[in-house]
């Protein structure tokens, strides 16, 4: 359903509730004033819109092959109107429309909060034309067009690099955390981001035929094929409907009094299910949002409470998604701090992600960075210049070795798999190498153990990265499976195949994860730094860049569902007792409606306990724990 359709539905449900409530209150006012006939008219006027909307929804549900609790509410309102129990019908109308409004409200709030998370998707591109530049819609781009891709731009269509070099961040598509260096003529994928200087691109495909569009189509197909999980209320509905009809018909058959059947139906209006379930779940949604977990509606929250298998992406999810210095390999006795300080000072003049990571590492250690001079940057290779009068060169091992007249070092025995090297030379001598990697997030092992305590039986890693990197990142984590080198459609197949073990949750942050997020029973996106496509396709979005927030989210979902079940069991038990009393003539329809109101208040108060759920906060890992564990075989790219 589109956002416009959803907004219209929300307004319609609000209007139905207002009409039912106004009709009930106005009727009561006229009844107190002794105007019974006018009171009946107002009650009927309040009931008819709610009943009409309810009958329409029932017909739609039957068309989808679904039978729910709506039928009980429709029977009670219809029977009350037919036999002149208009006040009872009005009370039922208000109760039912109130429950429908609550659930709609929860989903609407989630949609509003999602609006700010969706980052821009390219709608236009800059095209060369007759020696100038023009901004054109994506649909107008044809193969052969020459496009200008500025720094920070998302590549709008598949094409080939028409400049000498280009540096593209493909992490959202492939999981590689560092930009890839592309030479003239190399293929560039749509959806990647220009991490270097502006370059020209020759389009080879139209936008609708490009990589990014193909992933969007995968998302749409996955969403259409996604198996709906049965809702809590629906699983109780058929049994309760059968019990209600049997008691009502038995009361009418044995007594010959249709009013007793009406009283049974009114008492039986399943408000514990209609009200308690959405109240508990809405409270759970609110509580989860407090912990930075945005759940897009009551349905995903219910599904989240039943997850048995968890599939994790790697880059940006299990790992930080950005390179960090894990060690410094020294030469000629220079101090590690001096190596880092000089390299970071020079790298201040570069916008390359690796250079920025070096600067960040130096600042984190409290190093004062002087301003470099005479800086010359060689895109994709390195930077040279002067720092405090000393000649400094920073870059790839081969580039720096060439600048100092030495061969690149082949001694990588001390460097662990999953690392990238940044060489540093000072005054014509090799000073050392910075060993960089994409580290695991702190406390990952404890977090996974917490997931297992919450009932998740299987935890797997799914990544588009290489097998050697995937094996390195999972070392010692005790995962139940590892799948590497996966394309977006292969991730979808993994999600579908894991369903045999129970409901599946997929966690990711890249464009390549979006189809799998859409196909999973619950898709979770890293919303703080993740791609818009993944946030759009997911059922749950982590509003902060902390995957450990997922633990409290699952705990809140399970607790909310448990509270909802408790409310339903207690409420239905009381309703059944009330139905029996009504069948024996101890309750009139109006008395039955009032009794149901008392039951409603009790179950709602119980359901509101979900607002006070206190999940276990993730334990803060020792900062030294797992420090220096490289988690990704980074591309041989350098500042």
């Amino acid at each position: 359903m589109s956002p416009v359709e959803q907004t219209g539905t929300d307004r319609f449900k609000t209007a139905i509730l207002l009409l039912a409530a106004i009709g009930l209150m106005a009727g009561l006012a006229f009844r107190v004033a002794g105007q019974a006939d006018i009171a009946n008219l107002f009650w009927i006027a309040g009931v008819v819109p709610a009943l009409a909307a309810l009958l329409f929804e029932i017909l739609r549900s039957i068309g989808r092959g679904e039978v729910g609790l709506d039928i009980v509410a429709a029977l009670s309102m219809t029977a009350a109107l037919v036999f002149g129990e208009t006040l009872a019908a009005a009370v039922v109308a208000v109760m039912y429309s109130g429950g429908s409004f609550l659930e709609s409200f929860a989903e609407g709030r989630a949609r509003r909060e999602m609006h700010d998370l969706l980052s821009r998707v390219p709608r236009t591109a800059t095209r060369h034309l007759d020696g100038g530049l023009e901004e054109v819609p994506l649909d107008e781009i044809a193969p052969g067009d020459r496009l200008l891709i500025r720094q920070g731009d998302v590549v709008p269509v598949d094409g080939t690099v028409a400049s000498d070099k280009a540096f593209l961040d493909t992490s959202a598509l492939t999981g590689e955390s560092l930009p890839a260096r592309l030479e003239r003529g190399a293929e560039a994928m749509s959806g990647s981001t220009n991490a270097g200087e502006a370059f020209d691109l020759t389009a080879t495909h139209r936008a609708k035929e490009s990589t990014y569009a193909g992933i969007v189509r995968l998302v749409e197909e996955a969403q259409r094929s996604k198996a709906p999980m049965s809702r809590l209320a629906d699983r109780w509905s058929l049994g309760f409907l059968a019990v209600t009809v049997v008691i009502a018909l038995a009361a009418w058959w044995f007594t010959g009094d249709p009013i007793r059947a009406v009283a049974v139906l009114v008492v039986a209006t399943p408000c514990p299910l209609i009200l308690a379930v959405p109240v508990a779940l809405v409270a759970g949604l609110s509580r989860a949002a407090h912990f930075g977990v945005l759940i897009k509606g009551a349905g995903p929250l219910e599904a989240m409470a039943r997850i048995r298998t968890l599939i994790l992406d790697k880059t940006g999810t299990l790992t930080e998604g950005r390179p960090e210095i894990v060690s410094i390999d020294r030469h000629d006795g220079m101090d590690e701090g001096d190596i880092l300080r000089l390299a970071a000072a020079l790298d201040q003049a570069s916008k390359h992600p690796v250079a920025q990571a070096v600067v960040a590492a130096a600042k984190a250690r409290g190093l004062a960075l002087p301003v470099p001079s005479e800086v010359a940057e060689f895109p994709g290779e390195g930077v040279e210049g002067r720092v405090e009068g000393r000649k400094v060169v920073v870059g790839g091992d081969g580039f720096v070795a060439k600048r100092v007249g030495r061969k690149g070092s082949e001694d990588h025995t001390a460097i662990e798999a999953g690392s990238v090297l940044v060489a540093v030379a000072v005054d014509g001598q090799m000073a050392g190498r910075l060993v960089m990697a994409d580290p695991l997030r702190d406390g990952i092992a404890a977090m996974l153990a917490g997931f297992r305590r919450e009932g998740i039986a299987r935890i797997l890693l799914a990544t588009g990265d290489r097998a050697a990197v995937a094996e390195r990142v999972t070392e010692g984590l005790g995962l139940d499976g590892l799948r590497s080198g996966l394309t977006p459609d292969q991730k979808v197949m993994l999600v579908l195949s894991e369903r045999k073990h129970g409901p599946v949750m997929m966690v990711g942050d890249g464009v390549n994860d979006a189809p799998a997020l859409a196909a999973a029973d619950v898709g979770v996106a890293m919303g703080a730094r993740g791609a818009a496509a993944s946030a759009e396709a997911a059922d749950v979005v982590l509003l902060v860049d902390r995957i450990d927030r997922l633990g409290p989210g699952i705990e809140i979902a399970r607790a909310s569902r448990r509270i909802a079940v408790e409310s339903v069991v207690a409420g239905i038990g009381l309703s059944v007792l009330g139905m029996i009393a009504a069948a024996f003539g101890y309750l009139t329809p109006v008395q039955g409606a009032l009794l149901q109101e008392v039951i409603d208040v009790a179950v709602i108060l119980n359901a509101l306990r979900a607002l006070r759920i206190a999940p276990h906060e993730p334990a803060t890992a020792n900062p030294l724990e797992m420090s220096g564990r490289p988690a990704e075989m980074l591309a041989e790219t350098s500042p």
Side-chain angles (χ1 to χ4, degrees):
M1 185 178 291
S2 71
V4 173
E5 290 172 327
Q6 280 281 34
T7 301
T9 301
D10 296 344
R11 291 174 178 170
F12 179 73
K13 290 182 177 181
T14 302
I16 291 295
L17 175 59
L18 288 175
L19 288 173
I22 291 171
L24 175 61
M25 299 306 296
L28 288 173
F30 278 103
R31 181 66 173 268
V32 171
Q35 301 291 328
D37 291 339
I38 298 178
N40 286 333
L41 290 177
F42 271 101
W43 288 331
I44 292 171
V47 171
V48 169
L51 181 57
L54 183 54
L55 291 173
F56 177 74
E57 188 60 37
I58 289 172
L59 291 176
R60 288 182 58 185
S61 299
I62 292 175
R64 297 192 299 265
E66 301 171 359
V67 178
L69 293 164
D70 296 344
I71 294 177
V72 178
L75 283 175
S76 64
M77 279 189 271
T78 302
L81 288 178
V82 168
F83 293 103
E85 298 291 341
T86 52
L87 175 55
V91 172
V92 172
V94 170
M95 290 188 296
Y96 185 84
S97 56
S100 179
F101 170 81
L102 278 173
E103 194 159 10
S104 179
F105 170 78
E107 294 173 355
R109 185 191 58 136
R111 289 193 304 275
R112 288 192 297 273
E113 293 187 15
M114 266 301 296
H115 179 73
D116 294 335
L117 289 176
L118 301 179
S119 61
R120 80 240 182 270
V121 174
R123 307 282 185 211
T124 62
T126 305
R127 182 171 62 187
H128 289 273
L129 180 67
D130 299 330
L133 296 172
E134 62 173 353
E135 201 77 12
V136 296
L138 290 192
D139 292 341
E140 294 185 12
I141 297 174
D145 284 350
R146 190 181 181 95
L147 308 177
L148 174 65
I149 311 299
R150 294 161 297 199
Q151 187 176 50
D153 280 355
V154 175
V155 177
V157 298
D158 290 346
T160 58
V161 176
S163 299
D164 290 337
K165 295 184 182 68
F167 299 92
L168 292 180
D169 179 358
T170 61
S171 58
L173 297 172
T174 65
E176 292 284 357
S177 63
L178 286 183
R181 174 182 174 178
L182 303 181
E183 303 291 343
R184 182 185 292 271
E187 295 183 357
M189 292 186 293
S190 61
S192 53
T193 302
N194 182 10
E197 300 299 324
F199 70 94
D200 286 345
L201 178 84
T202 301
T204 57
H205 294 80
R206 295 186 179 275
K208 64 181 180 181
E209 300 165 350
S210 292
T211 301
Y212 191 87
I215 291 178
V216 171
R217 284 193 293 273
L218 266 177
V219 171
E220 293 171 347
E221 292 170 4
Q223 288 175 328
R224 284 195 295 269
S225 63
K226 184 172 181 175
M229 298 190 73
S230 59
R231 301 291 300 278
L232 173 62
D234 295 337
R235 291 193 294 276
W236 289 75
S237 60
L238 286 178
F240 188 76
L241 175 61
V243 170
T244 299
V245 172
V246 167
I247 294 178
L249 290 178
W252 192 353
W253 176 268
F254 288 109
T255 66
D257 183 3
I259 300 302
R260 291 198 182 186
V262 173
V264 170
L265 291 173
V266 169
V267 175
T269 300
C271 291
L273 285 173
I274 295 170
L275 293 177
V277 172
V279 166
L281 299 183
V282 168
L285 294 176
S286 177
R287 191 61 175 156
H290 176 76
F291 286 87
V293 183
L294 174 63
I295 305 175
K296 300 182 188 178
L301 185 137
E302 281 192 47
M304 197 172 178
R306 302 167 58 197
I307 292 302
R308 298 289 295 163
T309 298
L310 174 64
I311 301 176
L312 295 166
D313 175 48
K314 180 180 65 63
T315 304
T317 302
L318 205 60
T319 69
E320 294 287 353
R322 48 188 172 230
E324 294 182 4
I325 294 176
V326 296
S327 65
I328 299 178
D329 182 19
R330 298 185 297 164
H331 292 269
D332 301 329
M334 181 174 282
D335 182 74
E336 289 185 4
D338 289 336
I339 294 173
L340 177 58
R341 187 177 68 86
L342 293 173
L346 182 59
D347 274 342
Q348 291 177 105
S350 174
K351 292 184 178 180
H352 194 284
V354 174
Q356 294 303 306
V358 172
V359 173
K363 289 182 176 179
R365 297 190 186 191
L367 300 179
L369 302 182
V371 178
S373 61
E374 301 179 22
V375 177
E377 182 168 6
F378 302 84
E381 297 184 23
V383 185
E384 64 180 13
R386 289 193 174 275
V387 178
E388 297 178 333
R390 308 183 72 176
K391 182 71 173 179
V392 180
V393 184
V394 181
D397 201 52
F399 170 79
V400 175
K402 183 178 179 180
R403 283 291 188 277
V404 299
R406 293 173 53 179
K407 291 184 178 181
S409 173
E410 297 180 356
D411 180 17
H412 294 277
T413 56
I415 308 303
E416 298 185 55
S419 302
V420 65
L421 305 179
V422 177
V424 182
V426 179
D427 293 332
Q429 299 294 321
M430 190 68 75
R433 293 179 298 181
L434 309 178
V435 183
M436 306 190 72
D438 182 10
L440 285 172
R441 293 176 182 268
D442 288 339
I444 285 293
M447 181 193 72
L448 297 182
F451 289 156
R452 294 194 187 278
R453 286 194 299 271
E454 286 299 322
I456 294 179
R458 287 176 56 78
I459 302 177
L460 299 91
L461 180 74
T463 178
D465 218 333
R466 298 177 292 278
V469 180
E471 291 169 0
R472 175 64 182 166
V473 78
T474 58
E475 183 180 347
L477 293 182
L479 300 182
D480 299 294
L482 184 156
R483 305 290 187 273
S484 59
L486 300 182
T487 59
D489 55 335
Q490 289 173 331
K491 287 188 177 183
V492 172
M493 292 305 299
L494 175 62
V495 167
L496 298 179
S497 66
E498 284 296 320
R499 280 217 178 110
K500 62 180 178 287
H501 300 292
V504 176
M505 174 185 285
M506 170 74 192
V507 185
D509 74 328
V511 174
N512 59 331
D513 299 316
L517 296 179
D521 297 299
V522 178
V524 181
M526 305 292 290
R529 291 191 297 123
S534 61
E536 180 73 30
D539 304 295
V540 179
V541 178
L542 302 183
L543 301 177
V544 292
D545 187 31
R546 291 183 56 184
I547 191 175
D548 60 3
R549 294 289 90 189
L550 188 57
I554 294 174
E555 192 174 345
I556 289 169
R558 294 189 188 279
S560 299
R561 185 176 181 276
R562 183 177 64 251
I563 290 171
V565 170
E566 292 171 355
S567 300
V568 166
V569 170
I572 285 184
L574 293 173
S575 294
V576 170
L577 293 177
M579 289 160 58
I580 294 172
F584 281 98
Y586 295 113
L587 293 173
T588 66
V590 173
Q591 290 171 337
L594 294 176
L595 174 63
Q596 189 58 258
E597 282 294 305
V598 173
I599 296 173
D600 292 343
V601 171
V603 298
I604 288 173
L605 289 175
N606 185 68
L608 287 173
R609 289 192 299 117
L611 287 171
R612 300 194 302 273
I613 296 171
H616 294 91
E617 282 287 343
T620 302
N622 186 326
L624 299 178
E625 178 188 14
M626 290 185 278
S627 64
R629 281 193 58 186
E632 180 175 0
M633 181 75 73
L634 301 177
E636 276 292 335
T637 317
S638 55

